[in-house]
Amino acid sequence: MQSIWREIAYYGRVLKELVFPRRCVVCGYGIEAGYVCEHCRRNYLLQRVLKGEPREEYLAGQAEPVALDVLDSVLLLYKYDGVLKDALHRCKFAAEADLLPFLREEAEAGLPSAKLRWLEQFDIITCVPTSPERLAQRGFDVPQELFGPLLDQRSGSSVYSDAVLERVRHTHPLFELGPEARRQELMGCFALRARFDVRGKHVLLCDDIYTTGSTLCEAAQVLKRAGAAKVSALAFCAARSHWE
Ligand SMILES: [Zn+2]
């Protein structure tokens, strides 16, 4: 039943767009795609690449890994702020699926042609998987909804698949946990799906929000243990600590 209402809400929104042209949710200016106009988008765009820098204590085996110890690079598209934060929050925690088409267009707008070329270096592109329990509650997978259609269409030698990793253990929300507690909570929650060969490959992992990178770090470690040569990440939004 829930999915029927979601369909009705979605087509209602499409119909509304035909009758009432789409407007920027910040300033009200008429727009053809996305959630905000180009002018307002500039306030949220980050398009920042973090370079992986393994720390000496990690390389010496004296410290547990953090994200940039194991990730080769991370592209952060937007600031997790204002109306984008609100929209993503509503998708994730109130399961408002009708916002997804707008956010998908924002994901595309945040990946200009130069950054699309950045994607060509990867052999395999995939999303951080959502747990089956959360998927059942929410009805959709946020990273896959944001990036799947966009990355699947791409030509070139990279392969997009949503079946590289799976969640084998449910985890509690991480937002109130510190870095070490996050690591503990996530440990062993991902597994490589049987028969997916990542040996020698450069894998791109996509996710919705980059906070401490602990989720991506755990997923990247699973891929590295399975023989991936390099693992990088793409995140739709990044927490404030990564803006400068
Ligand atoms: Zn605007």
Side-chain angles (χ1 to χ4, degrees):
M1 266 323 266
Q2 200 195 352
S3 74
I4 293 169
W5 287 112
R6 226 176 30 240
E7 291 262 307
I8 290 171
Y10 174 71
Y11 287 107
R13 191 126 198 175
V14 171
L15 199 67
K16 193 175 141 215
E17 269 174 49
L18 291 173
V19 182
F20 308 101
R22 205 190 281 194
R23 301 206 169 272
C24 169
V25 293
V26 180
C27 71
Y29 187 80
I31 50 173
E32 284 184 3
Y35 198 59
V36 293
C37 72
E38 233 172 284
H39 180 79
C40 292
R41 184 175 297 123
R42 258 181 260 146
N43 295 328
Y44 298 108
L45 268 179
L46 193 59
Q47 294 178 327
R48 180 163 185 223
V49 178
L50 307 178
K51 291 297 293 170
E53 283 174 55
R55 298 162 305 153
E56 279 187 20
E57 55 268 43
Y58 163 68
L59 292 173
Q62 292 160 349
E64 295 299 336
V66 295
L68 294 179
D69 288 331
V70 281
L71 292 166
D72 194 62
S73 61
V74 184
L75 172 57
L76 307 169
L77 293 185
Y78 289 102
K79 296 172 184 170
Y80 185 52
D81 196 24
V83 292
L84 286 189
K85 179 178 181 174
D86 179 55
L88 202 53
H89 199 269
R90 281 159 61 192
C91 283
K92 282 179 76 100
F93 301 105
E96 291 190 34
D98 56 340
L99 289 170
L100 290 169
F102 302 112
L103 292 178
R104 193 179 298 136
E105 287 167 355
E106 289 302 328
E108 192 162 6
L111 267 174
S113 52
K115 301 294 181 193
L116 282 170
R117 280 203 299 280
W118 179 81
L119 292 172
E120 283 168 12
Q121 63 184 304
F122 305 107
D123 303 304
I124 299 168
I125 300 178
T126 192
C127 292
V128 171
T130 303
S131 74
E133 291 86 347
R134 200 149 294 141
L135 200 58
Q137 280 168 4
R138 200 179 279 155
F140 52 86
D141 183 301
V142 177
Q144 264 179 42
E145 291 285 343
L146 291 178
F147 291 115
L150 174 66
L151 299 175
D152 204 12
Q153 285 162 17
R154 283 184 13 74
S155 55
S157 59
S158 56
V159 172
Y160 174 79
S161 172
D162 56 15
V164 178
L165 291 170
E166 61 181 329
R167 287 248 184 189
V168 289
R169 185 167 60 72
H170 183 65
T171 53
H172 294 98
L174 301 174
F175 46 80
E176 285 184 340
L177 303 178
E180 181 52 27
R182 282 175 183 239
R183 204 184 60 76
Q184 294 283 347
E185 179 63 27
L186 290 162
M187 201 181 284
C189 80
F190 297 116
L192 188 72
R193 285 193 190 255
R195 297 198 304 272
F196 211 104
D197 190 1
V198 296
R199 283 174 297 174
K201 302 286 202 283
H202 192 176
V203 184
L204 177 69
L205 279 169
C206 305
D207 206 359
D208 45 18
I209 306 170
Y210 188 87
T211 308
T212 63
S214 51
T215 307
L216 286 163
C217 180
E218 178 66 23
Q221 281 181 279
V222 171
L223 294 167
K224 288 253 174 114
R225 274 184 227 122
K230 287 199 274 185
V231 182
S232 293
L234 167 65
F236 181 72
C237 279
R240 191 174 291 270
S241 55
H242 308 291
W243 296 358
E244 273 157 24

